[in-house]
Amino acid sequence: MQQTGSSGPKGFVVQPRRLPKAEASKRVQDFGEIIVKPTTENVEAQAGRCTDCGVPFCQNACPLQNNIPDWLGLSAEDEMREAWRMASATSTMPEICGRICPQDRLCEGACTLNVSGWEAVTIGSVEAFIGDTAFDNGWVEPIRPLHERAESVGIVGAGPAGMAAADRLREQGYQVTIYDRHDRAGGLLMYGIPGFKLEKRVVQRRIDRLVDGGVTFVAGCNVGVDVTLDQLRDKHDVVLLAMGVYAARGLSVPGCGPGDTVAALDYLIHQNRRDLEDPENEAWHHAKGRKVVVIGGGDTAMDCVRTAIRQGAESVVCLYRRDKENMPGSAREVANAEEEGVHFEWLGAPKALMSRDGAVTSVRTARMALSEPVFGQRRDIHVVPGGDFDIQADLVIEALGFEPENFAAHNPELALTDWKTVKVARFGQPGAGFATSIPGVFAAGDAVRGASLVVWAVRDGQDAAAEIDRYLRTRTEEVAA
Ligand SMILES: Cc1cc2nc3c(=O)[nH]c(=O)nc-3n(C[C@H](O)[C@H](O)[C@H](O)COP(=O)(O)OP(=O)(O)OC[C@H]3O[C@@H](n4cnc5c(N)ncnc54)[C@H](O)[C@@H]3O)c2cc1C
Ligand code: SF4
């Protein structure tokens, strides 16, 4: 929609929203990011669309409370270095969140321009540009604490929550060690989220900055197996648990036995390892020439279907039991998948896996229908009698979500919630408290929230670091009951 010639509240000509995205037919040929790096002029024009409406709904909708209108204004005036200073004050990963936040549900969803029919400012893209420009120009300050402190913090998990906490704690001069069972740091940023949303070099430069600033990574260390939580407590003044949630929910239908399906995360890890040029392993899954059915409707399912398209699958179907409007996945990712050739089978629930000679041939599917809407309630679903049908498949990927692993095994005194996540003192309350039931042990990110978003993990990591700093200075804390 061309909308030139109209005046915005600031009195300048309102530009249309432009988010340069590679053509679907081109972008499916590799695993590079699909958002094309904008030019400075394009960023200035897009940032200049901000009307500085006075009530920063975008900022309120951002989990980090980023000063969006301010850094948009600076970007519009090509004051990129100052924009960077402001963006990095509230976030330890602006260039990462700018790429992978579901902005349609967060900052951009709240942009005032939406209400007046002008389409939101491309906030995420401008944020990523500010961060990339800072890295390219050497404006990203190395971590050089003013004073070294003797106290040490051990962090379990090198995902965004652990990395954000490490960044802030090391800046304060603490001795920080991160333990991770993977061979690389980054958590789901490195091994879950595909390159077409977030290239690995972008994650690696953040890791490099932490290492350069004196953070120690201990890779290949499975806490609970190679070292216990109690041993880490003896070794460090504080331990932060930031180990995410990794127990995949499984499909339970007739005909589904071990080896008949592939777990979404295994599938994505294999492709991410290829992107990282790890030596190919014959056990790695690949969709080339196969009929792929991905079961699930969240962002993990979207990542799997789009990966299968890029691997050259013969057909790719996303099977979800509700309709498009009720999908948990971001509308933006669903649209990307549709553009790339994924077929969505809405209102379909797997009923059985059909096999021949021990190999899966199709997914028997029940047709579902939504119940009548009731105000304030999520619409229920029920099976349509006689509506069963088969979807051909020789690669079935389960993307049904994740739950916490058995955290209680780390220490029976570690209090858990009803959802088996780690219980902390004041979750979700102002000045949130991240102390667990064990003195000196804190927790952050998905391990506390359940499967969530990178931006919330970053927020938690930063807030937990501030709380750990207070604790180490005063040795007082409010533990989870
Ligand atoms: C496929 C996929 C795609 C996603 N896409 C998006 C997206 O586009 N945008 C978005 O905002 N969010 C997305 N998410 C969600 C997001 O990745 C998570 O919310 C976020 O990474 C949580 O951060 P975290 O640091 O709490 O945990 P994680 O990133 O999971 O990191 C935890 C780390 O702890 C390590 N660990 C676990 N147990 C142990 C142990 N016992 N010992 C040692 N180390 C351990 C793990 O190896 C891992 O490195 C996606 C999630 C998935 C699965
Ligand atoms: S961190 Fe996410 S929600 Fe906040 S401004 Fe950036 S893209 Fe928007």
Side-chain angles (χ1 to χ4, degrees), residues 96-285:
I96 292 179
C97 292
R99 283 173 162 86
I100 56 165
C101 271
Q103 285 98 7
D104 49 345
R105 286 192 264 145
L106 301 171
C107 54
E108 293 181 16
C111 176
T112 313
L113 286 183
N114 283 323
V115 183
S116 43
W118 291 98
E119 295 188 292
V121 175
T122 53
I123 298 170
S125 157
V126 175
E127 188 181 20
F129 184 87
I130 296 169
D132 289 348
T133 307
F135 271 101
D136 291 349
N137 288 286
W139 302 336
V140 181
E141 301 279 340
I143 304 174
R144 297 285 179 263
L146 286 179
H147 307 287
E148 287 294 339
R149 298 182 60 111
E151 299 98 326
S152 79
V153 180
I155 299 178
V156 184
M163 286 173 62
D167 192 313
R168 290 285 162 93
L169 287 163
R170 187 66 200 117
E171 266 180 1
Q172 293 299 317
Y174 294 108
Q175 309 309 309
V176 180
T177 304
I178 311 189
Y179 303 85
D180 201 291
R181 61 188 175 191
H182 266 305
D183 55 345
R184 288 188 176 90
L188 289 170
L189 298 176
M190 185 62 84
Y191 280 137
I193 298 173
F196 49 81
K197 281 161 63 178
L198 176 66
E199 286 175 9
K200 302 307 149 194
R201 63 180 174 83
V202 178
V203 185
Q204 190 58 50
R205 67 188 179 191
R206 276 279 157 204
I207 298 167
D208 293 346
R209 177 173 174 277
L210 292 178
V211 173
D212 179 56
V215 172
T216 304
F217 283 100
V218 182
C221 177
N222 192 350
V223 175
V225 176
D226 301 316
V227 61
T228 65
L229 175 57
D230 288 342
Q231 286 171 325
L232 292 185
R233 286 176 70 205
D234 289 344
K235 190 168 176 190
H236 299 285
D237 295 272
V238 159
V239 174
L240 174 67
L241 302 175
M243 62 270 195
V245 287
Y246 283 91
R249 287 189 201 117
L251 183 66
S252 174
V253 294
C256 179
D260 288 329
T261 60
V262 171
L265 199 52
D266 288 347
Y267 177 64
L268 294 172
I269 289 174
H270 296 163
Q271 183 54 47
N272 278 320
R273 284 197 177 281
R274 284 188 194 98
D275 292 355
L276 287 157
E277 298 184 358
D278 285 355
E280 180 84 26
N281 181 322
E282 60 181 24
W284 289 358
H285 301 289

Side-chain angles (χ1 to χ4, degrees), residues 257-406:
D260 288 329
T261 60
V262 171
L265 199 52
D266 288 347
Y267 177 64
L268 294 172
I269 289 174
H270 296 163
Q271 183 54 47
N272 278 320
R273 284 197 177 281
R274 284 188 194 98
D275 292 355
L276 287 157
E277 298 184 358
D278 285 355
E280 180 84 26
N281 181 322
E282 60 181 24
W284 289 358
H285 301 289
H286 204 288
K288 189 171 170 50
R290 301 178 76 176
K291 300 185 192 81
V292 180
V293 172
V294 177
I295 301 173
D299 284 340
T300 303
M302 294 312 106
D303 290 346
C304 291
V305 288
R306 297 177 66 201
T307 296
I309 289 275
R310 282 163 175 76
Q311 289 180 342
E314 185 183 319
S315 60
V316 182
V317 176
C318 177
L319 179 59
Y320 181 58
R321 60 197 179 133
R322 293 174 186 271
D323 65 358
K324 188 173 183 177
E325 285 65 44
N326 288 285
M327 271 183 92
S330 147
R332 181 185 66 184
E333 298 307 315
V334 175
N336 283 334
E338 283 182 322
E339 287 166 17
E340 291 168 7
V342 173
H343 173 77
F344 283 84
E345 195 62 62
W346 317 109
L347 292 166
K351 202 172 169 185
L353 293 192
M354 315 306 283
S355 303
R356 193 181 313 121
D357 302 331
V360 172
T361 53
S362 63
V363 181
R364 176 136 311 160
T365 303
R367 177 59 73 209
M368 309 300 287
L370 289 165
S371 60
E372 287 305 310
V374 178
F375 182 72
Q377 286 179 22
R378 193 174 188 204
R379 288 175 76 180
D380 221 342
I381 43 171
H382 59 267
V383 173
V384 177
D388 291 3
F389 60 102
D390 288 350
I391 307 172
Q392 288 195 355
D394 55 13
L395 176 59
V396 178
I397 299 173
E398 292 187 49
L400 297 165
F402 300 93
E403 287 174 0
E405 291 176 7
N406 182 13

